[in-house]
Amino acid sequence: QKEVEQNSGPLSVPEGAIASLNCTYSDRVSQSFFWYRQYSGKSPELIMSIYSNGDKEDGRFTAQLNKASQYVSLLIRDSQPSDSATYLCAVNRGSQGNLIFGKGTKLSVKP
Amino acid sequence: DADVTQTPRNRITKTGKRIMLECSQTKGHDRMYWYRQDPGLGLRLIYYSFDVKDINKGEISDGYSVSRQAQAKFSLSLESAIPNQTALYFCATSDPRGVTGELFFGEGSRLTVL
């Protein structure tokens, strides 16, 4: 089983809708979880981090973590065409803090 | 100018050639990383270094070597390139005193091995 799994998509949503991106992980001792956004031809950039169960909101973005289910999600409210990108889920691995990345979900927001 | 600079940005080479990808950073971070990104496989860690005297293998280090010449410089070498090393390579840095898990990536080096 891949350590961090994401649906590769593409996920297509209309402008103004909520986009829901999902990620599961296999290592139960994982402590830190991250969402990176990568525009086509560009490098990844961190947009959200979450460390404890529940929701964490930052503007139009909400990260949700359920450690019992080993599940982390990213909700994007009022999706905009500028949100069209690949979203990478990453999980902290071990005490050294190296990240394990999922393959990414490609999101397309249609005007 | 970019805080994390990679050279070259694009390189086409032939099987068996030695290739070096260079990374320099002005962020003052101690930790540096090399990742490769392949379509459908995501980002995979090749090597990482937590300071000048510390070099560690990542999940896919076979066929690669690295050199940490200074705090700001971290180079990746392919001693004898092969076609399945064709990929997009990213250098990244992090600050252990900063946000946990925040990596700062360079713009990437696209390598094609014929």
Side-chain angles (χ1 to χ4, degrees), chain B residues 11-63:
Chain B
R11 181 72 182 269
I12 299 173
T13 190
K14 295 182 178 180
T15 297
K17 294 292 187 181
R18 183 178 188 274
I19 295 296
M20 179 180 285
L21 305 180
E22 299 185 329
C23 178
S24 63
Q25 53 113 346
T26 58
K27 300 191 74 67
H29 292 168
D30 288 328
R31 298 185 176 186
M32 298 187 73
Y33 310 79
W34 275 104
Y35 285 88
R36 68 176 277 177
Q37 188 172 40
D38 299 271
L41 294 178
L43 279 164
R44 292 181 292 167
L45 182 62
I46 306 172
Y47 270 96
Y48 62 100
S49 169
F50 283 178
D51 63 45
V52 175
K53 297 181 180 180
D54 176 76
I55 302 288
N56 303 281
K57 292 182 178 180
E59 55 184 311
I60 54 161
S61 59
D62 286 350

Side-chain angles (χ1 to χ4, degrees), chain A residues 2-3 32 34 36 38 41-46 49 51 88 92-93 96-104, chain B residues 9 31 33 35 37 40-45 48 50 56 59 88 90 99-103 105-108:
Chain A
K2 179 71 176 174
E3 293 189 57
S32 309
F34 310 90
Y36 280 76
Q38 185 176 21
K42 301 296 185 181
S43 56
E45 58 178 339
L46 181 68
S49 59
Y51 308 105
L88 304 170
N92 174 267
R93 180 186 193 186
Q96 294 176 334
N98 290 333
L99 297 183
I100 298 296
F101 285 86
K103 296 178 183 180
Chain B
R9 296 290 312 282
R31 298 185 176 186
Y33 310 79
Y35 285 88
Q37 188 172 40
L41 294 178
L43 279 164
R44 292 181 292 167
L45 182 62
Y48 62 100
F50 283 178
N56 303 281
E59 55 184 311
L88 180 59
F90 284 105
V99 174
T100 300
E102 183 169 21
L103 296 174
F105 288 87
E107 295 173 307

Side-chain angles (χ1 to χ4, degrees), chain B residues 45-108:
Chain B
L45 182 62
I46 306 172
Y47 270 96
Y48 62 100
S49 169
F50 283 178
D51 63 45
V52 175
K53 297 181 180 180
D54 176 76
I55 302 288
N56 303 281
K57 292 182 178 180
E59 55 184 311
I60 54 161
S61 59
D62 286 350
Y64 301 95
S65 62
V66 291
S67 173
R68 185 79 183 267
Q69 301 95 325
Q71 187 215 32
K73 295 183 182 294
F74 193 36
S75 300
L76 177 71
S77 293
L78 290 68
E79 295 301 326
S80 180
I82 56 177
N84 76 0
Q85 291 177 313
T86 292
L88 180 59
Y89 291 84
F90 284 105
C91 175
T93 72
S94 71
D95 181 358
R97 299 160 297 178
V99 174
T100 300
E102 183 169 21
L103 296 174
F104 297 86
F105 288 87
E107 295 173 307

Side-chain angles (χ1 to χ4, degrees), chain A residues 15-67:
Chain A
E15 184 175 356
I18 296 175
S20 178
L21 305 163
N22 305 314
C23 173
T24 58
Y25 60 94
S26 60
D27 189 347
R28 285 194 169 273
V29 301
S30 298
Q31 295 295 318
S32 309
F33 308 87
F34 310 90
W35 285 98
Y36 280 76
R37 177 177 62 199
Q38 185 176 21
Y39 291 115
S40 180
K42 301 296 185 181
S43 56
E45 58 178 339
L46 181 68
I47 56 171
M48 289 288 286
S49 59
I50 186 166
Y51 308 105
S52 55
N53 282 328
D55 295 358
K56 179 181 177 182
E57 187 174 319
D58 184 359
R60 295 186 296 111
F61 297 94
T62 299
Q64 300 175 317
L65 175 61
N66 183 327
K67 290 186 178 181

